[in-house]
Amino acid sequence: MPYLDNAGAALPSKRQLDELSKFRNDMILANPHSRHSTALKTKQLMNSARLRVLQYFNASSDDYFVVFTYNTTHSLKIVAENFKFTRTKTEEVSEISNILYENQSQFAYLYDSHHSVIGLRNFVKNRVDSISCVSENAFENIPNTSNSLFVLTAMSNFCGKKYDLDNIAKLQEKGWSVCLDAASLVSTAPLDLKKYRPNFVALSFYKMFGYPTGVGALIIRKNSEQMIPKNSFAGGTVQSVEEDSFYFISKDLEDAYEEGTMNFHGIAAIQHGFDEIERCGGIKNIQNKTYSIAKQMFKMLSTKVHENGKQVVEIYSQNSSEFGTQDEQGAIITFNIKRPDGGYYGYNEVEKICAIFGIEIRTGCFCNIGACRKYLGISHEMIQNNQRQGKRCGDEMDLIDGKPTGAVRISFGRQSEEDDILVVENMIDNCFVGSMAQFSQVSTSLKIHNYSPEVVRLCAFPIKSCASETKDSFNLTERGFEYDRDFMIVQSGITLSLKTHPELCRISATISEDKSMLEIKAFGEMLEYPLKYSNNSEQERFVCRNKISTISCDEKTNKWLDNVLDMQNCQLVRVTNDSFKSFVNESPFLLINEASVHILSQIINIPTSEIITRFRSNIVVRGMPPFIEDTAKHLSIEGINFEVVDKCLRCEMICIDPDTGVKDPSLILALRNFRKNQKLTFGIYIRQTSFQQGTSINIGDMVQFN
Ligand SMILES: *Cc1c(COP(=O)(O)O)cnc(C)c1O
């Protein structure tokens, strides 16, 4: 599955979790503030984790120390809350400036900052002379100051732009303290604290290696802690305190900042994250790999054009025609997709289609309103206007007056592969450019075992060839889904099929809630047939070359069928209770892929949901590229094993409109065009490799191919 939201969180690898679970047996840890041996062991593990963090960032313990926090946001807050500003003005700051000032005590940040940085201004506004939100231009002429804090974004989480870290020293020379927001940078790039020497570094470990969550770090340069003297205390952070006066003496270094009991289990686990990075050849290697994939993706996206020659993808980056160098650009690409007429597709639409293809991406503004506004050209008026129109973070309003309110972000990580580019290209070609891509090529080069789609629809057809019954869950029997094709209609001994009698699709058969009745509805009439087996005589019949023993249902039902179908000698027959086979022609289950349906739906303009009905499958899955199911051999659905028996060969039956019974050939033509000289298959027949009583298949079950 292409997971392209690594800037949201890295994913732990299976290997990493396996390693961790071995170590888990050793994880009897206790409160590190106690002094018994389990507590001491815990404290030791935390201290070796601190050392590992320093080593990883090439910092010596003479130079830096590590404070564990909950995440980047928490690290930033510690700096802002305690920073020793020395305000001279008397009134609270009420406006944000866009320049830096000479000799004021100020708080400043880049416009391209995460909300967690911007939000700090509310902590500091009554302790500073000014607050500034600036662009990089501000670094060309940095004014002298002291007791001022600059929070520098190391890499934009919006578009992957890397900021020049030489600015850290330039700011420091002019008297600034610099806090580096490294959260986004360190997920795919190294940070060398011998080369760049910020006063503070904030980061979250889940962005580096996925696990643990709830642990971040504030790395503090020695002596810079004097700029953030603790003005409060809590359990674990005081040397000496009185409960009934304001007297307290803070502990030193990390002990001053780690308030209360930290996530010591999580902290002990970060060693395994660093081990994982080493197993991947180190962070430089990960940087090279992710950069190279991102660059190819950029090239692919930037060269997509509509038939009329217009660009399909509008990319938001420092230079939209060329991907920056590794020093300028990280493994993030942010964009919107445009129509041939120059209008935009909303990012929600793109996100939904990505979901069908199994592509996991992030949409919106990614908590970075400054960069979002700049790259998308959104003015202050538009923000306020959008707000008035009801636009809220995370909502469905992706376009207002035709203009995008956010974008689509693709971000790579250590598990990304070049194949991910193919999947995205495939999706764009088919759903947004409208040209037919080479599916056969794509589906053979992609590996189906990398995907674990989800079951999104389940159907059974209690009466063969009639309309389906959809449910959230079906019990499994040796014949297939419970009651699936247990019944069929014969006329004068011959099975009625949809091919010869398209009107059958207008007869619906469902099983009553208490499973006592088969409810048949047709043309406004309804009949109930009791499901309890009677001892009617058995008869052998051939259904599609298979001999099956059947029993006949009662005369009343037969008469009713004659009447609704306007025919004579109709008969409802049923498989015997102990039959191993139902009236299916092939295998008991037909599985189809929603993405493949989507491709056909794009071509012929019939809604996906209708096409799904026409394909009469039992199981619909979502979350893998189109037509990749053609390569499946074995699969399991929540531990229940199936093998693929065959691909499902299609005929003109798929042309029958399920509501009217009228034939319309476009679907089969589309399938024919698509399959070219191959057989007209769609979907796969599967069967259980061994049957187990008491199992079921449910909506939301995960499918694993192997
Ligand atoms: C993710 C991110 C943050 C916030 O990190 P949390 O772990 O949510 O606290 C801050 N800044 C940047 C640049 C980020 O990418």
Side-chain angles (χ1 to χ4, degrees):
M1 146 195 81
Y3 175 77
L4 299 178
D5 186 23
N6 290 276
L11 287 188
S13 69
K14 176 147 189 328
R15 185 176 56 183
Q16 184 182 349
L17 295 178
D18 285 347
E19 286 293 316
L20 205 64
S21 68
K22 281 187 221 155
F23 169 81
R24 283 255 168 252
N25 301 333
D26 248 1
M27 286 278 271
I28 312 289
L29 303 180
N31 194 318
H33 299 141
S34 301
R35 302 227 308 227
H36 46 74
S37 68
T38 310
L40 291 179
K41 171 183 156 197
T42 307
K43 195 154 174 68
Q44 229 169 31
L45 275 175
M46 287 174 70
N47 284 337
S48 39
R50 276 183 232 285
L51 270 180
R52 188 79 188 263
V53 173
L54 289 178
Q55 265 169 16
Y56 179 84
F57 292 111
N58 194 27
S60 101
S61 52
D62 295 336
D63 262 2
Y64 279 94
F65 64 96
V66 174
V67 174
F68 285 117
T69 62
Y70 300 118
N71 50 31
T72 305
T73 306
H74 182 208
S75 304
L76 293 166
K77 248 183 198 173
I78 292 176
V79 175
E81 252 174 1
N82 297 297
F83 195 83
K84 209 162 69 180
F85 293 109
T86 49
R87 168 165 95 161
T88 50
K89 292 187 179 168
T90 47
E91 70 281 14
E92 183 177 292
V93 175
S94 61
E95 269 179 40
I96 313 292
S97 163
N98 57 11
I99 54 165
L100 304 176
Y101 297 97
E102 193 84 27
N103 294 328
Q104 288 195 1
S105 184
Q106 46 204 306
F107 171 66
Y109 51 89
L110 287 174
Y111 75 84
D112 186 353
S113 287
H114 194 275
H115 288 177
S116 292
V117 173
I118 305 177
L120 299 176
R121 65 195 185 195
N122 291 59
F123 285 106
V124 304
K125 67 179 180 185
N126 55 13
R127 292 169 24 233
V128 296
D129 292 321
S130 61
I131 297 178
S132 307
C133 170
V134 298
S135 75
E136 275 174 297
N137 297 341
F139 300 137
E140 283 162 21
N141 195 358
I142 304 167
N144 274 310
T145 188
S146 61
N147 300 86
S148 290
L149 176 66
F150 199 108
V151 180
L152 182 65
T153 307
M155 177 171 122
S156 171
N157 71 316
F158 182 85
C159 61
K161 177 182 163 75
K162 287 183 181 171
Y163 286 89
D164 183 358
L165 299 188
D166 285 331
N167 289 314
I168 297 170
K170 289 185 193 161
L171 282 159
Q172 286 167 336
E173 269 163 36
K174 302 285 181 163
W176 292 78
S177 294
V178 179
C179 176
L180 188 68
D181 175 1
S184 163
L185 179 78
V186 296
S187 67
T188 51
L191 172 65
D192 183 341
L193 292 180
K194 283 222 162 63
K195 188 163 174 203
Y196 304 109
R197 300 170 50 71
N199 304 81
F200 313 101
V201 181
L203 56 92
S204 299
F205 292 105
Y206 71 89
K207 283 202 179 161
M208 299 175 67
F209 28 72
Y211 189 96
T213 51
V215 186
L218 172 61
I219 309 177
I220 302 179
R221 189 165 147 190
K222 287 252 169 99
N223 296 327
S224 294
E225 73 274 16
Q226 290 165 16
M227 290 309 292
I228 51 169
K230 276 304 298 272
N231 51 28
S232 67
F233 67 89
T237 69
V238 271
Q239 276 187 31
S240 164
V241 65
E242 283 175 4
E243 85 286 8
D244 56 358
S245 80
F246 278 109
Y247 166 82
F248 79 92
I249 298 176
S250 196
K251 286 189 180 169
D252 307 331
L253 304 178
E254 66 268 8
D255 290 333
Y257 300 98
E258 290 175 1
E259 296 197 318
T261 307
M262 301 307 293
N263 179 356
F264 52 85
H265 274 273
I267 293 167
I270 67 175
Q271 299 270 11
H272 297 270
F274 287 117
D275 286 350
E276 168 72 8
I277 290 182
E278 271 175 25
R279 280 192 296 263
C280 294
I283 187 67
K284 288 207 173 110
N285 204 29
I286 292 171
Q287 174 172 246
N288 290 339
K289 176 181 161 185
T290 51
Y291 173 80
S292 152
I293 298 175
K295 188 169 176 168
Q296 292 173 61
M297 181 75 91
F298 180 92
K299 184 155 179 233
M300 184 278 286
L301 292 174
S302 58
T303 49
K304 283 281 157 222
V305 286
H306 287 292
E307 254 173 23
N308 63 10
K310 290 227 169 112
Q311 284 251 300
V312 177
V313 185
E314 181 170 279
I315 303 183
Y316 306 113
S317 71
Q318 39 197 331
N319 177 350
S320 56
S321 58
E322 208 176 321
F323 201 60
T325 64
Q326 220 175 70
D327 290 338
E328 301 162 340
Q329 179 67 46
I332 295 181
I333 302 171
T334 297
F335 58 93
N336 273 307
I337 300 185
K338 300 180 87 168
R339 299 174 191 276
D341 66 4
Y344 292 90
Y345 285 100
Y347 58 76
N348 285 326
E349 187 169 345
V350 180
E351 181 163 43
K352 278 182 197 139
I353 288 173
C354 283
I356 294 179
F357 278 68
I359 303 171
E360 305 197 313
I361 43 107
R362 174 81 170 251
T363 62
C365 276
F366 332 123
C367 297
N368 185 331
I369 189 64
C372 192
R373 249 167 34 79
K374 173 180 179 257
Y375 286 103
L376 272 65
I378 301 173
S379 64
H380 284 289
E381 293 70 44
M382 279 161 74
I383 293 262
Q384 283 167 17
N385 202 18
N386 290 354
Q387 186 70 14
R388 248 177 268 123
Q389 289 199 29
K391 168 80 193 139
R392 297 292 180 271
C393 183
D395 69 11
E396 291 283 310
M397 292 175 80
D398 48 7
L399 294 174
I400 291 182
D401 299 331
K403 286 215 143 208
T405 59
V408 180
R409 181 180 73 185
I410 286 180
S411 53
F412 300 94
R414 64 184 189 284
Q415 294 111 323
S416 299
E417 293 178 11
E418 288 187 9
D419 274 359
D420 299 346
I421 305 168
L422 274 180
V423 185
V424 173
E425 177 163 28
N426 193 219
M427 185 247 336
I428 292 187
D429 279 347
N430 290 288
C431 301
F432 297 102
V433 186
S435 67
M436 292 284 283
Q438 298 290 313
F439 294 100
S440 41
Q441 174 216 326
V442 170
S443 47
T444 49
S445 66
L446 296 177
K447 296 167 205 79
I448 195 168
H449 60 257
N450 287 338
Y451 298 85
S452 19
E454 180 192 357
V455 172
V456 291
R457 189 180 151 97
L458 292 170
C459 292
F461 306 83
I463 304 180
K464 182 182 168 71
S465 298
C466 293
S468 67
E469 159 178 68
T470 51
K471 287 208 288 194
D472 289 351
S473 171
F474 280 103
N475 292 335
L476 290 173
T477 71
E478 263 168 305
R479 299 200 280 270
F481 285 160
E482 194 176 24
Y483 301 113
D484 187 24
R485 282 159 289 194
D486 270 7
F487 294 85
M488 66 178 184
I489 303 171
V490 299
Q491 186 197 26
S492 309
I494 296 170
T495 309
L496 294 192
S497 76
L498 201 53
K499 214 186 286 187
T500 53
H501 294 84
E503 65 275 19
L504 288 180
C505 69
R506 301 176 69 189
I507 300 183
S508 84
T510 50
I511 304 299
S512 66
E513 194 86 31
D514 61 359
K515 298 194 174 165
S516 66
M517 293 288 173
L518 172 71
E519 298 171 348
I520 317 175
K521 291 189 196 125
F523 310 102
E525 311 261 347
M526 163 147 159
L527 177 94
E528 288 187 319
Y529 177 81
L531 284 169
K532 192 164 180 299
Y533 272 92
S534 53
N535 38 13
N536 289 358
S537 62
E538 294 188 12
Q539 188 185 352
E540 304 257 278
R541 285 175 196 275
F542 279 94
V543 178
C544 215
R545 298 183 304 277
N546 299 309
K547 196 157 45 154
I548 297 182
S549 55
T550 66
I551 50 175
S552 300
C553 301
D554 63 348
E555 270 314 302
K556 181 180 148 220
T557 308
N558 297 344
K559 283 267 154 340
W560 186 84
L561 285 172
D562 277 353
N563 183 34
V564 294
L565 288 169
D566 197 14
M567 295 198 292
Q568 267 145 34
N569 295 328
C570 287
Q571 228 185 340
L572 187 67
V573 300
R574 183 179 190 183
V575 292
T576 52
N577 199 7
D578 52 4
S579 173
F580 289 121
K581 208 163 168 10
S582 67
F583 295 131
V584 293
N585 299 350
E586 310 272 342
S587 77
F589 305 97
L590 176 59
L591 179 148
I592 65 174
N593 174 4
E594 193 181 27
S596 313
V597 175
H598 190 78
I599 295 293
L600 296 177
S601 123
Q602 290 288 305
I603 300 171
I604 55 176
N605 238 333
I606 296 181
T608 327
S609 57
E610 189 189 322
I611 299 185
I612 286 178
T613 322
R614 291 200 195 184
F615 279 128
R616 302 178 63 81
S617 65
N618 298 102
I619 302 169
V620 183
V621 301
R622 175 187 300 159
M624 58 183 187
F627 298 103
I628 197 171
E629 68 279 16
D630 291 348
T631 64
K633 298 263 184 301
H634 295 273
L635 57 139
S636 67
I637 304 180
E638 301 286 338
I640 302 171
N641 295 319
F642 295 85
E643 62 187 349
V644 177
V645 183
D646 207 350
K647 293 176 199 167
C648 175
L649 197 58
R650 298 298 182 163
C651 63
E652 69 276 12
M653 257 162 61
I654 59 173
C655 297
I656 298 167
D657 180 326
D659 293 330
T660 60
V662 173
K663 280 189 188 171
D664 150 31
S666 58
L667 184 56
I668 195 131
L669 290 178
L671 190 58
R672 181 161 292 147
N673 278 342
F674 166 70
R675 290 291 187 192
K676 301 211 173 65
N677 299 322
Q678 301 158 7
K679 283 189 178 171
L680 281 190
T681 66
F682 193 95
I684 50 176
Y685 284 122
I686 60 175
R687 79 172 158 234
Q688 273 192 267
T689 48
S690 67
F691 172 70
Q692 211 189 332
Q693 203 79 42
T695 48
S696 63
I697 302 282
N698 306 285
I699 299 278
D701 282 357
M702 300 304 277
V703 183
Q704 187 62 54
F705 289 91
N706 39 41

